[in-house]
Amino acid sequence: MSIHEECGVFGIYDKAGDCARTTYYGLYALQHRGQEACGIAAINDRELSSYKDIGLVGDVFHEKILDELNGTMAVGHVRYATTGAGKRENAQPLTLKYVKGTLAVVHNGNLVNTGALRKYFEYRGAIFQTSTDSEIIAYSIAQERLKCGSVEEAVKNAMPMLKGAFSLIVMSPRKLIAARDPWGFRPLCMGRRGDAVVFASESCALDGVDAEYIREIEPGEIVVVEDGVVRSIRDNCPEDSKGNLCIFEYIYFARPDSEIYGQSVHFARRMAGRLLAQEHPVEADLVIGVPDSGLDAAMGYAEESGIPYGEGFVKNRYIGRTFITPNQQSRENAVRIKLGLLSNNVKGKRVVMIDDSIVRGTTCKAIIKLLRDAGAKEVHMRVSSPRFISPCYFGTDIPDKKDLIACHHTVEEICEMAGADTLGFLSVENLHKIAPDAQCGFCDGCFTEHYAVEIDEGYAGGTGCN
Amino acid sequence: MSIHEECGVFGIYDKAGDCARTTYYGLYALQHRGQEACGIAAINDRELSSYKDIGLVGDVFHEKILDELNGTMAVGHVRYATTGAGKRENAQPLTLKYVKGTLAVVHNGNLVNTGALRKYFEYRGAIFQTSTDSEIIAYSIAQERLKCGSVEEAVKNAMPMLKGAFSLIVMSPRKLIAARDPWGFRPLCMGRRGDAVVFASESCALDGVDAEYIREIEPGEIVVVEDGVVRSIRDNCPEDSKGNLCIFEYIYFARPDSEIYGQSVHFARRMAGRLLAQEHPVEADLVIGVPDSGLDAAMGYAEESGIPYGEGFVKNRYIGRTFITPNQQSRENAVRIKLGLLSNNVKGKRVVMIDDSIVRGTTCKAIIKLLRDAGAKEVHMRVSSPRFISPCYFGTDIPDKKDLIACHHTVEEICEMAGADTLGFLSVENLHKIAPDAQCGFCDGCFTEHYAVEIDEGYAGGTGCN
Amino acid sequence: MSIHEECGVFGIYDKAGDCARTTYYGLYALQHRGQEACGIAAINDRELSSYKDIGLVGDVFHEKILDELNGTMAVGHVRYATTGAGKRENAQPLTLKYVKGTLAVVHNGNLVNTGALRKYFEYRGAIFQTSTDSEIIAYSIAQERLKCGSVEEAVKNAMPMLKGAFSLIVMSPRKLIAARDPWGFRPLCMGRRGDAVVFASESCALDGVDAEYIREIEPGEIVVVEDGVVRSIRDNCPEDSKGNLCIFEYIYFARPDSEIYGQSVHFARRMAGRLLAQEHPVEADLVIGVPDSGLDAAMGYAEESGIPYGEGFVKNRYIGRTFITPNQQSRENAVRIKLGLLSNNVKGKRVVMIDDSIVRGTTCKAIIKLLRDAGAKEVHMRVSSPRFISPCYFGTDIPDKKDLIACHHTVEEICEMAGADTLGFLSVENLHKIAPDAQCGFCDGCFTEHYAVEIDEGYAGGTGCN
Amino acid sequence: MSIHEECGVFGIYDKAGDCARTTYYGLYALQHRGQEACGIAAINDRELSSYKDIGLVGDVFHEKILDELNGTMAVGHVRYATTGAGKRENAQPLTLKYVKGTLAVVHNGNLVNTGALRKYFEYRGAIFQTSTDSEIIAYSIAQERLKCGSVEEAVKNAMPMLKGAFSLIVMSPRKLIAARDPWGFRPLCMGRRGDAVVFASESCALDGVDAEYIREIEPGEIVVVEDGVVRSIRDNCPEDSKGNLCIFEYIYFARPDSEIYGQSVHFARRMAGRLLAQEHPVEADLVIGVPDSGLDAAMGYAEESGIPYGEGFVKNRYIGRTFITPNQQSRENAVRIKLGLLSNNVKGKRVVMIDDSIVRGTTCKAIIKLLRDAGAKEVHMRVSSPRFISPCYFGTDIPDKKDLIACHHTVEEICEMAGADTLGFLSVENLHKIAPDAQCGFCDGCFTEHYAVEIDEGYAGGTGCN
């Protein structure tokens, strides 16, 4: 419940027009990837216009704004970030003028050589007005554009400089360009709706705008749409790698109705539950999941174990950014407001409770207390991912080791601290079996400390869709 | 998906103070009963203060406002109503001064003798500044207060005038008074948290503020809290009736983790699914529900039928009041944005799809098309309530007969119009079996045209928490 | 600078339509009479619609709102009141339904028998949802309407109950009715624009909508516009009185380009300055005024005395409700931000400084210090009204005696406290000469303690347009 | 009435802290220089924080924001620009990171070699995220900083590149730097308050924060404040020039209580009126001015001519950005709402009406009609500046020749079009006599077509504080 995906991107090329509006619906479908800020930029007759602000898609955009943005190409962005005044300038799309005219840039991910790149550009006179990686990416493209003949070539030439995760969409007055880092950390897929071409972080956004899923953008690939024609540039695609997709997308980040690399997210979660049941069986009367992402895993656990699946919690759908945390009550009470409990379902029962992960261990403790208060006889916690032992540098906010309970405590200790009867995590070995249909390799660095990209020792870490 | 409950109420008496804040959390738990407007009134040292506005609880209230409202008693309200500028004056609580000082009034329900009552008061010089029933109720109490010795007696004496549904909380500088119409149409329960006394439309709000459920307020009962002492006035309680609770609360309105009259809402829905499976069995591969309220029924249908339960849809949690409906796309596309589909789950399968009701028939048609587009081989629609054949006069917006598809078409016709292979509704007979634990009688007027209260011929109907 | 007029009213009957928009412009012209809240109600085809909120006319109303309000009759209101959350319900127009349909009520003034009237109605079952006199007036009309044949008759019959100040406009689906209390405390005039009839607190609002000034509504008079025909009801007009217009309207409240009873406000102020020069001559080099209302009097003083008139201060036009008062600086610094000083104009000079009044004495002290700091050799303060020795009960916020410096100090003491070299107030005798063209009598109670209406001993006083 | 100054700047270095709050008051005093957007950046313990938004100073800033910004240095900006969505990014201060850390930049003025500079930087890889000159200036400084040892040296070295007008304040974590272009187009002065150093566009802002005026920043000068020590860098100061201060600052832009180069603005306007009386005498009964800036000139005209000065108009102080222009009425009616007329003052009189300028000629036509409608016998218009015959390239929005009535019509024609009896403009010769105390030279390019800086033929012109 407390790890956040950082950002979602959407782009469309549609000569029929109305692209800002389509992007609006696309962003709605990606809202789970970022609720802090959002924005849309559109090209109409080669003119760029854009609008972005802090807030949800439904709050930031109104009919009038969409009407003004309308065009035959558009890109959009939803952003997750820590709260704070004055962060408005970090909202995307980043829109800019450079030597060849205008550009709009949206991206999801996090670079790990930010410091070196900033220095590099600053020593050439650059000024940085935001703290986003988008601005660094834009500088890279702008600089390369001076030496080559097209914006897509500039993107191609800039990519080797950019170390880390980026799923990127760049829009010039005539071209829509999607690009993905050579490791393929964050997802990015392509779809079609008639002649229109659509890019999105997840396939659920294609469904949302009635576009057909075509394929993933490959790690290192650049896809250019110009005059309705789609071209692929594969110079940066690694030859010998299946890529390093963030495996936590399947566990938690992505929407269950999305498919990534041919693998349904819903089924991956269910499979995680099945494997968890094999790995950590227990005698019990009921399997329940912590909404929303624990539900699918709970269903899988139930199927595999034969223990009945049941609903345990009702999530309050109205808790938003402005929720006032109880100040005179315990954290437990905050959980009580966020999660209603079907007390009769758990009373007197031995309950298996599935959640997707344990970060600090505070939330699961409060939830287990809720179950015990309601009369659960036993609470067996099962976690549909391995223990977090290392931070993420590639665009999520999995925190530093000091804040990860599994870095400091054994499973037994965590179990006792959480107040569970037993506790079991999915093993890394089984983790790699949850997405059997996925045509890709994975990054599991937060569980294994093995990262596809070397992290500089002094790297401070990314804290947002930087 | 298109019927709306109309309003939720909450009240608390707690000498420990902080009552506005507790009410804030209580309203959060009742937000599903009304998203248009909300308000809180509090008594601090006999002084009344209040705040209300259009919007969700989380948007209307901020720390500073709650701090200013603080007190040892409070009432709160969430309101559903049709949109429209200038409706701000209809937000509740209604706060007023009358012959004996100040009062705050919140209520859920709808009176059916509004016209007569308004006339009655107008012919005595009354002015009406809102279009709510609260104002009429307030006048009734104010008038009776002139002839008797206490506000609770005034409520008691006013009640026989009020024909229809009202679950009411009245707060004077020293007393918190809950009252329910003698038919008991809308729910209202009482709980305790230590010495504090809490009233709420549903028990989920008691859970949200960590209060213990005590009991329902009985039809016709008045419960008075004064100096921490709870008294019951039962003069208006009908002797020979078990009451007429809106049975659609179990089907759709209430939160699944609420219990009403000892009956878990979640289990009632599941039972509806089981009974539906008995009544309308079908050979199929998968049972899915339309979120959110169709899910429990689907689980029950699966249990009874032995057909596997699966997730079919992912509801977009971010669709709010400001959602811009697609104007160049069909209604189907609006559904597509609101509901993501787990295509792989339904592809090539014979699917049983459970929804809670059919009103106009347009939404289910769009949903069924979604399923067919995704490759479902057969779609068997099952509805966990009977056919709507008559409007509701008691506080929900079930529309007039002209808008109810079941008034104009046979089941077969509806099935064909919706594009389903087969269609089955729960029978009225079985409807009455869904809540076996409930210690009450039911109103099923929208399904049977039999109402506990006679509706005047010319009555225009209520369209809101009037 | 610190006394506030309380409210302005506007009404129009124009078969050509667009009345809400005209009212919008009328309220703009009356904005100086109240900046806290504003509102407009309009009748279109007998249907009443309205909009009101806290804020300035220009902030509350937008094109879309005006378009929705449009009609063939409208009334509007600007309100002054002390700040405070939750006061939104006191904004006017008060719109209501009563025995004969809908009414909208706006008024300027303050009743002094509020307590008795409220009690009277409360003992007949009334509920009060605001703390405004409008609601009391509405009840009076509603009650009288039961006993007579028309709304204007009801207004006529209600008036004898209402003790105090009211300049009132009432709008029913077919009639626009203006009425003024029999003492005529607050101004109210009538104009015409072609066939359209306009009522307004001041003639500047007639100018603003290009209407021609016709005449004042007489004390006690009721003017009814129906089907374009204007009728006057004079039953409540006192026979032997010239009325009791608030003389401070000429001194301070009204806009200088207004005319009241044939007397230009600008010229009255200039005359006050002239009389002040006769009464309190002094040798000096320069006469300056404190903006805005002191400027005209300064000009008159200069004309009469022969001492050159000059600009001394530049008022900051952007200080609004949200101005953050300096917290680490003295009151003097707040004045410094509000009033820029033309230092070169006053340096080394003997300055006569004219202000319209002294209430607490703090502001003039800060201003005089400003002048001395800038090098003024002498500062002779002249006040274009007499000393405040008693509060106002009729719709302004002249405070209680305890806050009036002149109640506790002699002129000499005030002079010393303010840091002036000499100080002179206009005498009451001369006060009555400032408006030689005015065809009316005056209320000068705040200067003389003689009020046209007896104030009940226990009367708490009015604090707003009540 | 329709020419706009473009931007005001303020900066303070005060070890005592509270600098954001002082800047807030400074910006209040400069609000007349720009009402579209505003912002403040502050340095607290070497950390930069900032806040900016569209709106007036009083609307954008609240206690909480000021508290968060607090520090020992701050810069602030008020901006004028044409309206339009998405222009938020052009608000100042521009805050940025560059090779040596953070900078905040505010400026008033307009560069005329924008195109060349942008190209220059773009050909070195720059990206531009705004359309402001601030960004170009920032790039210039950032680039020069690479080659030298301090930020002030970088400013010094950058200045020769910057052709046009800029009054600039730059803030680094340790230094506050004010700089002015070598022509000295826009004003910029320095003051002190104890140990604190203050920079501001006009001296009225020094008065507003109780600082003492010290001197103007000279054309080409750079003033550096570091550790409380003030240093001047004069390398860019032209030896043989007295500067080219925009003379229209005296006529219209600046606040009358400001002094620029030792010349009181109020007296310059009065002098303009005196000279106008000498140049264009007329027999008349009354001199009136169009508020606000025409009033001082009218007073001067009256003094010189012996014709009595009087008030003619009352300006509506509440007309703001959101004013809805009358759509069914003429422009004359918009003027009627903005300007109340003291009809009795002008009735039957021969009136001299003074305004500060004529741009398109539409407003003066409407005003003259107002006077005639009120019964003025004759209207003699006098303009306290020469005819506009050329646009301004240096930071005001005096429009292109095609929109300047004086480019297409003789004085006689304009007189007739405006409906005046006679019309007289101040001659350029006399214009240069209005500020006898000013220790500087002037730019009068809009009146003479002679500019101190050569304008490139293709230059499109600046339309805002670019």
Side-chain angles (χ1 to χ4, degrees), chain B residues 42-205:
Chain B
I43 293 284
N44 195 16
D45 204 12
R46 302 217 178 168
E47 281 299 315
L48 179 78
S49 55
S50 73
Y51 191 84
K52 56 187 176 180
D53 207 345
I54 291 167
L56 295 173
V57 175
D59 294 333
V60 167
F61 289 98
H62 303 289
E63 284 276 4
K64 212 182 137 210
I65 295 169
L66 290 181
D67 289 349
E68 286 169 7
L69 286 181
N70 215 349
T72 53
M73 276 197 283
V75 295
H77 192 264
V78 291
R79 174 178 169 81
Y80 163 75
T82 52
T83 58
K87 297 289 181 194
R88 186 182 271 150
E89 66 265 23
N90 283 345
Q92 299 192 23
L94 182 75
T95 57
L96 60 100
K97 291 198 178 157
Y98 77 131
V99 70
K100 293 293 179 180
T102 56
L103 279 189
V105 177
V106 294
H107 92 291
N108 173 26
N110 193 63
L111 301 181
V112 296
N113 62 336
T114 314
L117 287 171
R118 281 194 167 238
K119 277 224 155 44
Y120 175 85
F121 289 112
E122 283 173 1
Y123 275 108
R124 273 148 194 79
I127 63 175
F128 288 93
Q129 300 178 44
T130 76
S131 57
T132 66
D133 286 355
S134 287
E135 207 177 3
I136 295 172
I137 294 170
Y139 265 115
S140 307
I141 296 171
Q143 181 185 259
E144 292 303 322
R145 186 67 182 82
L146 295 169
K147 312 179 204 156
C148 66
S150 69
V151 59
E152 60 268 31
E153 214 181 322
V155 172
K156 186 187 77 184
N157 295 345
M159 279 172 67
M161 278 187 275
L162 307 171
K163 210 168 133 191
F166 57 89
S167 283
L168 180 71
I169 311 180
V170 173
M171 181 172 69
S172 78
R174 296 195 303 128
K175 298 172 188 173
L176 189 69
I177 299 166
R180 206 165 159 213
D181 65 74
W183 301 271
F185 286 110
R186 308 252 65 93
L188 185 62
C189 65
M190 178 167 64
R192 276 197 170 274
R193 189 176 68 185
D195 287 339
V197 180
V198 183
F199 300 110
S201 287
E202 292 182 33
S203 66
C204 65

Side-chain angles (χ1 to χ4, degrees), chain B residues 251 263-278 296-301 303-304 384 426 430-437:
Chain B
I251 298 287
Q263 171 67 53
S264 152
V265 172
H266 168 77
F267 278 100
R269 286 181 194 169
R270 212 148 160 172
M271 179 64 88
R274 284 179 170 277
L275 295 163
L276 199 51
Q278 291 170 8
D296 293 341
M299 222 173 278
Y301 195 103
E303 286 162 2
E304 181 71 19
S384 60
L426 192 69
N430 272 329
L431 175 70
H432 281 270
K433 297 181 186 162
I434 67 169
D437 298 333

Side-chain angles (χ1 to χ4, degrees), chain B residues 94 97 128-129 135 139, chain C residues 94 96-97 128-129 135 139:
Chain B
L94 182 75
K97 291 198 178 157
F128 288 93
Q129 300 178 44
E135 207 177 3
Y139 265 115
Chain C
L94 181 76
L96 60 101
K97 292 197 177 160
F128 287 93
Q129 301 177 45
E135 206 177 3
Y139 266 115

Side-chain angles (χ1 to χ4, degrees), chain D residues 96-276:
Chain D
L96 60 100
K97 291 196 179 161
Y98 76 131
V99 70
K100 293 294 180 182
T102 55
L103 280 189
V105 177
V106 293
H107 93 290
N108 173 26
N110 192 63
L111 302 181
V112 295
N113 62 337
T114 314
L117 287 170
R118 281 194 167 238
K119 275 224 156 45
Y120 174 84
F121 289 111
E122 283 172 0
Y123 276 108
R124 273 148 194 81
I127 63 174
F128 287 93
Q129 299 178 44
T130 77
S131 58
T132 66
D133 286 355
S134 287
E135 205 177 5
I136 297 172
I137 294 171
Y139 266 115
S140 307
I141 296 171
Q143 182 185 259
E144 292 303 322
R145 186 67 182 83
L146 295 169
K147 310 178 204 158
C148 66
S150 70
V151 59
E152 59 269 32
E153 215 181 321
V155 171
K156 186 187 77 183
N157 296 345
M159 279 172 65
M161 278 186 275
L162 307 171
K163 212 168 131 188
F166 56 90
S167 284
L168 181 70
I169 312 180
V170 173
M171 181 173 67
S172 78
R174 296 195 302 127
K175 297 171 188 173
L176 189 70
I177 299 166
R180 204 164 160 215
D181 66 73
W183 299 272
F185 287 109
R186 309 252 66 93
L188 185 62
C189 65
M190 178 165 66
R192 275 194 170 277
R193 188 175 69 186
D195 286 339
V197 181
V198 182
F199 301 110
S201 287
E202 291 182 34
S203 67
C204 66
L206 303 181
D207 296 339
V209 303
D210 204 10
E212 191 190 354
Y213 172 85
I214 302 294
R215 65 175 181 88
E216 306 295 311
I217 308 302
E218 289 300 310
E221 187 185 8
I222 299 165
V223 177
V224 186
V225 192
E226 185 181 4
D227 290 336
V229 179
V230 177
R231 278 180 298 133
S232 174
I233 299 172
R234 311 181 64 91
D235 302 51
N236 291 320
C237 293
E239 283 192 15
D240 52 350
S241 164
K242 289 184 65 191
N244 303 74
L245 179 73
C246 167
I247 201 162
F248 209 59
E249 291 277 352
Y250 288 117
I251 298 288
Y252 175 80
F253 292 143
R255 232 171 72 169
D257 55 331
S258 285
E259 292 189 14
I260 310 178
Y261 273 104
Q263 171 65 54
S264 151
V265 171
H266 168 78
F267 279 100
R269 288 183 192 168
R270 212 147 159 172
M271 179 64 88
R274 284 181 169 277
L275 295 164
L276 198 51

